[in-house]
């Protein structure tokens, strides 16, 4: 049990928990049992059925209610005399500002997305409150401690970007089922039901440049007098038949590849075949219940449908969208909880897979891939929550020497399922915690200010309400309290190129970008550069000092993180890839942070080694002194990066 | 597996975990029956984890009444005294657990762990005990082994901020992922009695000190006929004497079992809730692995000590025996 000193620290502590999901439920329970008396918990999400297998404070009857509030009530049942304050709100709300954070002794994160993690990291840095960060995926988990000026902050080292695939793999040469899913979701579904003004690469371009797309804009439109069944078959034949024929005409493409097989609806379905019985279950006015599986009598989501079944599902889903959900067409985006959308995407991906000789998958599997559903089990969350509390107690006791970053391994590493390592030191060039200026290489006379705001300020720096200043000159501001004049002025600025802004942003100048909500300010030095490599630097801008994790060389059409901020099912976002080859790992000569990734996000898994000569602090000595884990600091990695840029 | 399908309700509820271990494993889980004895905080965690995972049934055995102490780390006991007064801790925990997952059958059985018959044990696929004496542990493990049916046996205990799990899966086959392929593996386990009889001298030098320290305390409680955890710092002189005897007999240095560690274990009657969560999480996962025959299980001890933060697997089996 804890010492008296520890108990006193626990009793007197005020703790902020962010997230009441998988880790959050476990954490709140363990904090309460451990004697914590004053806990605030923030979560904007409501409870869903798929949470119930691990978020054990919630019951079927709570579905739809606030996670934070229900979690609070459930814990008070076994610890009625402690104070738990539940906030059913977005952590990014301006209510949770620096002053709010300053009231707490420690912040504990059980979040499911990068965006919120960055936000918490920035505010707690400004407030000077230590943070325990956590994440799980399946059997893998991680707990990290972030103390200002002492250990790395959450953003000191890059977090891998979402997995993405080259456009041509998606549009022309899929080789894996996931490629078919991306095609079905981001291209076909988006084309038929989404915003018509969005760019879409659905139609393949043939080799000679003669595009099939002269008349394509209307190909996907339902014609005035067209019967919905005919429309479905026309779309079917176009994307699975005609487009494949067209692609086949380019012999060069198929030299070293298996040629796909065009599929026409008449090959698969008889011409006058009646599709499902629309009246059977679609009398329901509840849009959420509209489903082809119901009308077609397909019950098991784990079953793999054959080509004919997939074809029926596709046509039926298309029809149901037009008949039952007409109003949404033109504004739909794929949502993994939208049954009809999942059915459509599953069927379309499978038909395409059949065409390309790729094995078909069940709706259950397809949903997981399309929705980027994170694998989650209760046990890992429980373990991680226990580890968080242990680190939190160390922080409250100011026992900074002993804080650890811990990895939960699926397979033991040197006998360890739970592997503690010393925390990394802060990155001295981190733009978040060290306020190091960044450098932007850009072609100022040819780059729109809007691109800079979107691609650099929002996407890379993660700012939500940015302000951009050059000297005292305000170039851009975002927020609700702008008056109309200002808004118009900034709108106009967005359309200008950098060098034509009211105060020109050109090589040799510098600007300051701020997000007051995040209390983050950073200086960007501008460096003029004319040429950019279209493949490697497609944005036409290079931000130096900001580290992007290496991703696959593949790029472009990305699988979006389906869970996003309000994502229901995830407890993760810092999964780790674990090297399978233990020997190689132990003998690794070069020790560095190993950036690898799993799906939408991940964090590095440090390599271990036997380097006793390391003068680095990051050496953990076991009692015998002959068994040590060395985690090389990132200096080598940083140095390498610097050389690269 | 037979072709029985998961129901729509099961698929929806277990969606996220089926994505981890597959529908086949989920079906096996739903047919498994688990017996659990000794309702302390760590066991409460284990129960929560396997009920959420969706095992077929969980049967709890612990006739002791709810005390101030049992409230310490056990979140299955509501604070309202009227809800537990006059009832056994197993009954109270049973009520809470039922709520966690309506698809799992949870019940409380009257009786004492040490007197469980082989007829009763035979109804189960997994037996987990906590807080029982050395002889009870040996006896139950022994009875499980006598049955023709293969029963997975686990014992688990937390003292202070240390935890120990013992695993006996007898003769276990499973599949595990290795790089990109799935391979079959087969493991032979010693019984608890066989494992602790392995001469200390032949164990690897860097074995967890918790292994030796726990054996000393366990032996001490046995010779003094104490119940598990019924110790205090006043016992230290006698425990140190016992350590000396055991270390001499086993030909290992007393420094393998530091005084400070023994002190912690003697004092640590109350479980440390974060360690309960960790040990209960690891054990919950082991039970799921054993039932589903998926993933390489722990062989055969697991240790966690919050003092160094390591979660270690130790293989304590005699290299000369068949196992
Ligand atoms: Zn930093």
């Amino acid at each position: 049990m804890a010492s008296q000193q520890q108990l006193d620290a626990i009793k007197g502590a005020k703790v902020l928990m962010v997230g009441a999901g998988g880790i959050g439920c476990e954490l709140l329970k363990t904090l309460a049992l451990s004697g914590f008396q004053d806990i605030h918990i923030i979560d904007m999400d409501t409870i869903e059925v798929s949470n119930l297998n691990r978020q054990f404070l919630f019951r079927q009857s709570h579905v739809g209610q606030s996670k934070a509030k229900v979690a609070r009530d459930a814990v008070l049942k076994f610890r009625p005399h402690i104070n738990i304050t539940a906030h059913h709100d977005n952590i990014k709300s301006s209510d949770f500002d620096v002053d709010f954070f300053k009231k707490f002794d420690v912040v504990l994160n059980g979040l499911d997305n990068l965006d919120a993690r960055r936000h918490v990291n920035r505010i707690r840095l400004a407030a000077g409150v230590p943070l325990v960060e956590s994440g799980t995926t399946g059997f893998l988990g991680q707990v990290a401690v972030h103390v200002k000026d002492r250990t790395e902050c959450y953003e000191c080292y890059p977090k891998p970007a979402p997995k993405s695939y080259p456009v041509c793999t998606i549009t022309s040469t899929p080789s894996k089922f996931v490629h078919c899913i991306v095609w079905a979701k981001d291209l076909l579904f988006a084309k038929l039901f989404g915003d018509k003004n969005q760019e879409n690469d659905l139609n393949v371009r043939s080799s000679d440049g003669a595009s099939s797309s002269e008349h394509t804009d209307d190909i996907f439109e339902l014609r005035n007098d067209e019967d919905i069944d005919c429309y479905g078959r026309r779309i079917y034949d176009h994307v699975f038949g005609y487009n494949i024929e067209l692609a086949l005409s380019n012999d060069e493409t198929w030299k070293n590849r298996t040629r796909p097989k065009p599929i026409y609806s008449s090959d698969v379905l008889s011409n006058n075949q009646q599709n499902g019985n629309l009246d059977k279950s679609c009398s329901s006015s509840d849009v959420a219940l509209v489903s082809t599986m119901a009308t077609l009598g397909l019950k098991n989501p784990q079953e793999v449908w054959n080509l004919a079944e997939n074809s029926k599902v596709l046509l039926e889903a298309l029809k149901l969208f037009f008949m039952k959900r007409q109003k949404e067409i033109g504004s739909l985006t794929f949502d993994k909880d939208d049954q009809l959308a999942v059915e459509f995407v599953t069927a379309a991906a499978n038909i395409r897979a059949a065409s390309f000789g790729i094995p078909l998958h069940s709706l259950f599997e397809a949903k997981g891939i399309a929705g980027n559903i994170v694998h989650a089990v209760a046990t890992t969350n429980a373990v991680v929550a226990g580890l968080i509390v242990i680190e939190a107690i160390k922080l409250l006791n100011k026992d900074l020497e002993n804080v650890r970053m811990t990895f939960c391994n699926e397979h033991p590493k040197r006998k360890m399922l739970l592997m503690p390592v010393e925390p990394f030191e802060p990155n001295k060039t981190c733009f978040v915690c060290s306020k190091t200026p960044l450098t932007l290489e850009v072609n100022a006379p040819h780059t729109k200010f809007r691109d800079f705001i979107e691609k650099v300020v929002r996407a890379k720096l993660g700012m939500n309400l940015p302000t951009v200043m050059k000297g005292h000159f305000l170039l851009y501001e975002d927020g609700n309290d702008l008056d109309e004049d200002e808004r118009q002025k900034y709108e106009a600025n967005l359309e200008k190129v950098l060098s034509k802004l009211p105060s020109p942003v050109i090589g040799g100048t510098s600007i300051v970008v701020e997000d007051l909500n995040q209390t983050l300010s950073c200086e960007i030095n501008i460096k003029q550069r004319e040429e950019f490599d279209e493949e490697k630097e497609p944005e036409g801008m290079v931000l130096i000092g900001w580290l992007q994790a290496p991703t696959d060389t593949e790029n472009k059409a990305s699988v979006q993180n389906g869970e996003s901020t309000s994502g229901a099912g995830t407890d993760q976002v810092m999964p780790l890839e674990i090297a399978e080859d233990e020997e190689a790992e132990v003998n690794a000569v070069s020790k560095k942070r190993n950036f690898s990734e799993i799906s939408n996000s991940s964090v590095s898994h440090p390599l271990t080694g036997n380097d006793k000569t390391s003068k680095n602090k990051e050496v953990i000595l076991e009692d015998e002194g002959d068994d040590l884990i060395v985690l090389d600091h990132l200096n080598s990695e940083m140095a390498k990066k610097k050389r690269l840029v | 597996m037979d072709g029985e399908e998961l129901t729509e309700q099961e698929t929806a509820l277990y969606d996220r975990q089926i994505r981890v271990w597959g529908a086949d494993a989920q079906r096996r889980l739903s047919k498994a029956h688990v017996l659990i004895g000794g309702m302390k905080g760590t066991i409460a965690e284990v129960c929560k984890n396997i009920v959420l995972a969706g095992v077929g049934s969980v049967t709890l055995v612990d006739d002791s009444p709810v005390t101030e102490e049992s409230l310490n780390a056990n979140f299955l006991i509501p604070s309202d005294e009227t809800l537990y007064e006059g009832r056994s801790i197993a009954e109270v925990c049973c009520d809470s657990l039922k709520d966690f997952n309506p698809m799992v059958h949870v019940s409380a059985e009257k009786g004492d762990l040490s007197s469980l018959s082989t007829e009763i044990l035979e109804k189960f696929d997994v037996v987990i005990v906590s807080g029982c004496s050395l002889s009870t542990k040996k006896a139950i493990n022994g009875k499980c082994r006598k049955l023709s049916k293969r029963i997975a046996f686990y014992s688990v205990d937390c003292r202070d901020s240390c935890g120990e799990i013992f695993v006996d899966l007898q003769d276990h086959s499973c599949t595990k992922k290795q790089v990109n392929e799935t391979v079959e593996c087969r493991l032979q386990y010693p019984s608890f009695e066989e494992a602790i009889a392995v001469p200390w001298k032949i164990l690897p030098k860097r074995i967890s000190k918790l292994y030796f320290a726990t054996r000393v305390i366990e032996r001490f409680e046995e010779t003094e006929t104490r119940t598990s955890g019924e110790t205090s710092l006043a016992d230290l002189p006698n425990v140190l004497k016992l350590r000396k005897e055991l270390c001499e007999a086993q030909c290992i240095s007393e420094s393998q079992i530091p005084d400070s560690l023994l002190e912690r274990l003697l004092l640590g009657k109350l479980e440390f809730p974060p360690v309960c969560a960790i040990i209960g999480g690891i054990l919950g996962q082991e039970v799921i692995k054993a039932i589903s025959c998926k993933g390489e299980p722990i062989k055969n001890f697991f240790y966690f000590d919050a003092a160094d933060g390591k979660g270690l697997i130790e293989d304590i089996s005699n290299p000369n025996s068949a196992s």
Side-chain angles (χ1 to χ4, degrees):
Chain A
M1 205 45 208
S3 72
Q4 193 54 46
Q5 186 202 349
Q6 282 179 335
L7 288 174
D8 290 344
I10 291 170
K11 276 198 179 129
K14 198 173 167 79
V15 177
L16 177 62
M17 268 184 65
V18 191
I23 293 172
C25 280
E26 293 286 343
L27 182 55
L28 189 61
K29 171 256 303 165
T30 305
L31 284 173
L33 289 174
S34 303
F36 284 84
Q37 309 261 338
D38 189 357
I39 307 164
H40 280 242
I41 180 163
I42 304 175
D43 197 311
M44 69 188 290
D45 282 349
T46 53
I47 297 158
E48 297 185 26
V49 170
S50 64
N51 301 151
L52 302 178
N53 80 318
R54 64 195 186 287
Q55 301 178 15
F56 76 103
L57 299 174
F58 310 147
R59 306 281 171 266
Q60 186 75 44
S61 59
H62 297 135
V63 169
Q65 297 182 38
S66 154
K67 286 188 175 182
K69 290 183 175 163
V70 173
R72 169 189 182 272
D73 294 348
V75 167
L76 289 179
K77 283 194 179 135
F78 59 85
R79 283 293 183 274
H81 303 302
I82 66 173
N83 292 313
I84 304 176
T85 311
H87 304 269
H88 182 206
D89 204 347
N90 190 336
I91 181 62
K92 288 195 202 157
S93 150
S94 55
D95 293 345
F96 308 126
D97 58 7
V98 176
D99 287 333
F100 176 84
F101 271 66
K102 276 183 180 161
K103 291 188 272 188
F104 297 94
D105 299 298
V106 64
V107 181
L108 311 177
N109 269 359
L111 278 164
D112 62 1
N113 68 87
L114 179 79
D115 207 34
R117 284 190 167 106
R118 288 205 288 206
H119 187 85
V120 171
N121 182 49
R122 291 166 186 191
I123 298 188
R124 67 91 200 165
L125 269 170
V129 183
L131 166 71
V132 185
E133 180 60 88
S134 68
T136 66
T137 298
F139 303 124
L140 306 180
Q142 184 180 357
V143 173
V145 178
H146 301 294
V147 181
K148 195 180 178 187
D149 299 330
R150 179 143 188 138
T151 72
E152 62 172 330
C153 84
Y154 179 68
E155 297 176 84
C156 272
Y157 303 102
K159 305 287 178 278
K163 180 129 183 142
S164 55
Y165 303 95
V167 169
C168 63
T169 304
I170 302 303
T171 57
S172 315
T173 55
S175 58
K176 292 180 188 156
F177 188 66
V178 63
H179 300 150
C180 301
I181 286 281
V182 174
W183 177 85
K185 185 178 80 153
D186 292 351
L187 300 183
L188 186 60
F189 182 87
K191 184 82 191 170
L192 293 173
F193 310 118
D195 183 353
K196 303 277 184 253
N197 298 322
Q198 290 249 311
E199 268 179 60
N200 193 305
D201 296 306
L202 187 59
N203 275 300
V204 285
R205 281 166 224 110
S206 57
S207 58
D208 53 6
S211 170
S212 66
S213 62
E214 281 156 47
H215 59 289
T216 50
D217 278 349
D218 45 87
I219 273 233
F220 293 97
E221 294 288 332
L222 176 64
R223 290 165 193 158
N224 280 338
D225 52 350
E226 195 172 22
D227 172 72
I228 186 71
D229 286 318
C230 296
Y231 170 65
R233 284 182 172 238
R234 187 163 59 76
I235 298 295
Y236 188 112
D237 292 342
H238 181 80
V239 298
F240 300 114
Y242 174 76
N243 273 358
I244 300 290
E245 304 263 15
L246 202 69
L248 280 169
S249 65
N250 183 359
D251 286 327
E252 198 61 30
T253 310
W254 310 108
K255 249 184 187 164
N256 300 310
R257 291 188 173 92
T258 317
R259 296 170 71 90
K261 176 172 66 74
I263 301 174
Y264 290 92
S265 59
S266 55
D267 302 343
V268 185
L269 304 166
S270 70
N271 268 324
N272 52 2
Q273 191 171 356
Q274 180 71 38
N275 247 319
N277 180 0
L278 265 184
D279 302 325
K280 209 153 105 193
S281 73
C282 287
S283 52
S284 165
S285 58
D286 186 349
V287 162
L289 296 178
V290 173
S291 153
T292 64
M293 283 181 72
T295 56
L296 294 172
L298 297 164
K299 288 208 181 67
N300 184 1
Q302 312 256 4
E303 196 174 70
V304 180
W305 304 326
N306 62 29
L307 182 57
E309 284 166 328
N310 278 297
S311 303
K312 281 187 210 167
V313 169
L314 183 88
L315 294 173
E316 184 76 3
L318 186 79
K319 188 165 159 183
L320 286 175
F321 268 119
F322 276 88
M323 295 181 68
K324 302 281 176 184
R325 297 173 60 178
Q326 180 84 50
K327 271 182 251 152
E328 298 166 71
I329 291 173
S331 62
L332 272 166
T333 50
F334 178 80
D335 174 358
K336 67 169 171 43
D337 296 316
D338 179 341
Q339 172 70 17
L340 193 58
V342 172
E343 289 170 349
F344 178 90
V345 165
T346 303
N350 273 330
I351 300 166
R352 187 162 173 86
S355 182
F356 283 86
I358 297 166
L360 309 197
H361 285 66
S362 70
L363 176 119
F364 179 83
E365 294 164 312
K367 179 179 170 180
I369 300 167
N372 243 326
I373 293 178
V374 171
H375 304 181
V377 288
T379 50
T380 317
N381 290 336
V383 171
V384 159
L387 293 168
I388 294 172
V389 176
I390 288 172
E391 295 309 320
I393 294 172
K394 290 179 198 167
L395 288 172
L396 294 170
N397 279 291
K398 310 269 180 276
D399 184 13
L400 297 181
E401 285 300 318
N402 286 310
V403 296
R404 292 287 179 274
M405 177 197 274
T406 307
F407 295 94
C408 305
N409 300 327
E410 180 170 2
H411 308 290
K413 294 254 161 294
R414 324 187 82 206
K415 303 198 301 189
M416 279 182 273
L417 279 180
L418 304 176
M419 190 172 81
V421 301
E422 283 211 23
F424 293 96
E425 281 172 13
N427 170 9
K428 291 190 176 56
T429 61
C430 173
F431 81 97
V432 178
C433 68
S434 298
K435 310 266 178 220
T436 307
L438 299 163
T439 297
L440 182 73
E441 293 184 341
V442 65
N443 194 349
H446 290 92
T447 304
K448 264 193 186 175
F449 191 44
R450 180 186 296 281
D451 285 344
F452 168 74
I453 295 284
E454 294 303 324
K455 292 173 183 169
V456 174
V457 179
R458 291 192 199 275
K460 287 197 166 66
L461 303 183
M463 292 186 182
N464 301 309
L465 295 173
T467 299
V468 181
M469 281 173 299
K470 181 155 172 271
H472 292 294
F473 204 97
L474 218 52
L475 293 171
Y476 182 74
E477 229 183 325
D478 193 356
N480 299 323
D481 49 354
L482 296 177
D483 62 37
E484 198 47 40
D485 283 4
E486 290 174 310
R487 193 179 301 283
Q488 279 177 9
K489 187 177 78 189
Y490 297 137
E491 241 351 274
N493 280 352
L494 287 178
E495 297 310 315
K496 294 180 178 141
V497 294
L498 296 180
S499 60
K500 291 275 157 55
L501 283 165
S503 176
V505 173
I506 51 173
T509 65
S510 96
I511 51 176
V512 172
V513 186
E514 278 183 359
D515 186 320
L516 292 178
N517 204 4
Q518 300 174 344
T519 60
L520 177 67
S521 167
C522 91
E523 190 183 345
I524 303 178
N525 298 318
I526 306 296
K527 196 172 161 196
Q528 172 64 21
R529 180 174 151 193
E530 271 85 30
E531 302 283 316
F532 290 90
D533 184 323
E534 259 179 60
E535 286 226 332
K536 290 182 192 136
E537 303 155 334
E539 288 167 333
M541 287 181 267
V542 176
L543 188 63
I544 300 168
W546 176 85
L547 299 172
Q548 168 137 47
T551 55
D552 286 35
T553 48
E554 310 179 327
N555 216 326
K556 304 276 170 61
S558 70
V559 180
Q560 296 299 318
N561 178 354
E563 289 285 358
S564 76
T565 44
S566 61
T570 61
D571 316 319
Q572 69 114 40
V573 158
M574 309 201 316
L576 7 121
E577 180 131 331
I578 292 182
E580 295 289 341
D581 187 350
E582 182 122 1
E583 280 314 301
E585 186 188 338
V586 172
N587 298 325
V589 180
S590 108
K591 293 170 294 299
K592 59 176 183 184
R593 257 183 119 142
N594 179 25
F595 297 110
S596 44
E597 61 176 292
I598 298 173
S599 69
N600 57 342
S601 51
S602 68
V603 111
S604 54
H605 190 76
L607 294 177
T608 59
N610 269 330
D611 186 355
K612 288 186 213 175
T613 60
S614 172
K615 291 186 194 77
N616 203 298
K617 259 193 74 194
E618 277 149 303
V619 176
I620 300 170
L621 284 169
E622 282 202 2
D623 311 325
E624 297 294 324
D626 55 352
D627 180 13
L628 43 84
I629 295 168
V630 181
L631 285 177
D632 188 36
H633 200 259
L634 300 157
N635 296 332
S636 59
E637 181 74 6
M638 300 309 294
K640 203 176 80 198
K641 290 254 178 234
K642 281 215 179 96
R643 260 179 271 121
L644 285 174
V645 293
Chain B
M1 288 305 291
D2 53 73
E4 261 178 70
E5 280 170 12
L6 295 168
T7 63
E8 223 171 292
Q9 194 191 4
E10 286 172 314
T11 309
L13 176 65
Y14 301 136
D15 185 285
R16 297 303 188 269
Q17 67 200 38
I18 292 173
R19 294 178 193 282
V20 178
W21 53 61
D24 200 43
Q26 192 63 50
R27 276 191 292 270
R28 288 184 204 217
L29 279 172
S30 69
K31 295 198 189 88
H33 304 286
V34 184
L35 178 75
I36 296 181
M39 295 306 300
K40 293 182 77 182
T42 311
I43 287 289
E45 292 279 351
V46 176
C47 288
K48 172 203 73 193
N49 293 333
I50 62 173
V51 166
L52 289 174
V55 293
S57 76
V58 172
T59 305
L60 308 176
V61 182
D62 193 335
D63 285 345
S64 53
V66 174
T67 61
E68 191 68 24
E69 213 171 89
S70 46
L71 290 169
N72 169 57
N74 191 332
F75 56 90
L76 297 175
I77 307 171
S79 69
D80 185 351
E81 210 172 313
T82 58
L83 291 173
Y84 62 74
E85 216 175 3
R87 307 176 69 206
S88 78
I89 193 166
E91 288 170 329
V92 176
C93 293
C94 174
D95 284 355
S96 301
L97 272 177
K98 275 179 180 164
D99 267 1
F100 283 19
N101 187 347
M103 282 184 264
V104 178
H105 185 261
V106 187
S107 62
E109 222 25 82
K110 290 246 173 250
D112 182 46
L113 272 186
S114 56
S115 59
L116 283 175
S117 66
T118 46
E119 287 74 43
I120 291 180
L121 290 171
E122 197 165 22
K123 291 190 234 160
F124 297 94
D125 305 288
V126 177
V127 172
I128 305 170
V129 300
S130 180
C132 55
S133 67
L134 176 62
S135 56
T136 307
K137 243 192 255 187
K138 284 186 196 164
I140 299 174
N141 186 206
K143 282 179 197 169
C144 290
R145 286 193 149 240
K146 279 203 196 85
L147 295 163
S148 54
K149 173 187 183 185
R150 203 178 52 81
I151 297 176
F153 174 85
Y154 299 90
S155 90
V156 60
D157 282 294
C158 282
R159 281 166 177 264
D160 192 79
S161 46
C162 305
E164 178 189 72
I165 298 172
F166 166 75
V167 183
D168 176 14
L169 303 183
Q170 302 178 35
D171 177 1
H172 183 75
S173 301
C174 64
T175 57
K176 64 169 181 175
K177 278 225 179 90
Q178 230 171 33
V179 197
N180 284 321
E181 52 172 355
T182 304
V183 295
E184 288 278 329
C185 67
R186 208 174 146 187
L187 295 163
Q188 298 278 345
Y189 287 76
S191 68
F192 185 69
E193 192 159 7
E194 286 162 354
I196 62 171
V198 175
W200 291 1
K201 188 80 188 134
I202 69 166
L203 293 174
K205 190 165 159 262
R206 289 206 321 268
I207 202 148
S208 171
K209 293 176 169 48
L210 268 171
Y211 174 72
F212 299 121
T214 311
R215 302 287 78 79
V216 173
I217 300 284
E218 183 179 75
R219 183 73 77 87
F220 175 77
E221 287 173 342
E222 186 79 358
T223 50
E224 299 267 312
T225 59
R226 309 267 185 94
T227 59
S228 173
E230 199 191 348
T231 52
S232 72
L233 212 50
D235 296 319
L236 189 62
N238 288 330
V239 168
L240 291 179
K241 219 163 88 192
L242 181 61
R243 174 185 69 181
K244 188 159 186 279
E245 284 166 32
L246 288 173
C247 287
E248 275 168 10
Q250 298 274 7
C251 306
I252 68 161
S253 156
E254 281 189 71
S255 67
Q256 287 281 347
I257 317 176
D259 292 14
S260 57
L261 186 54
L262 289 170
E263 280 174 35
R264 280 174 68 201
L265 297 182
L266 283 175
L267 268 172
K269 184 167 183 153
L270 290 180
E271 297 160 291
F272 184 43
V275 175
C276 296
I278 292 165
I279 290 286
I282 298 281
L283 179 50
Q285 200 50 55
E286 286 303 308
V287 172
I288 293 161
K289 273 190 214 165
I291 295 171
S292 63
C293 299
K294 257 188 140 170
E296 191 172 4
I298 287 172
K299 182 181 176 227
N300 52 348
F301 284 86
F302 178 81
Y303 290 97
F304 179 79
D305 184 351
D308 64 13
K310 282 181 201 164
L312 279 169
I313 296 174
E314 297 291 0
D315 186 347
I316 315 267
S317 47
N318 199 328
N320 304 321
S321 76
S323 56

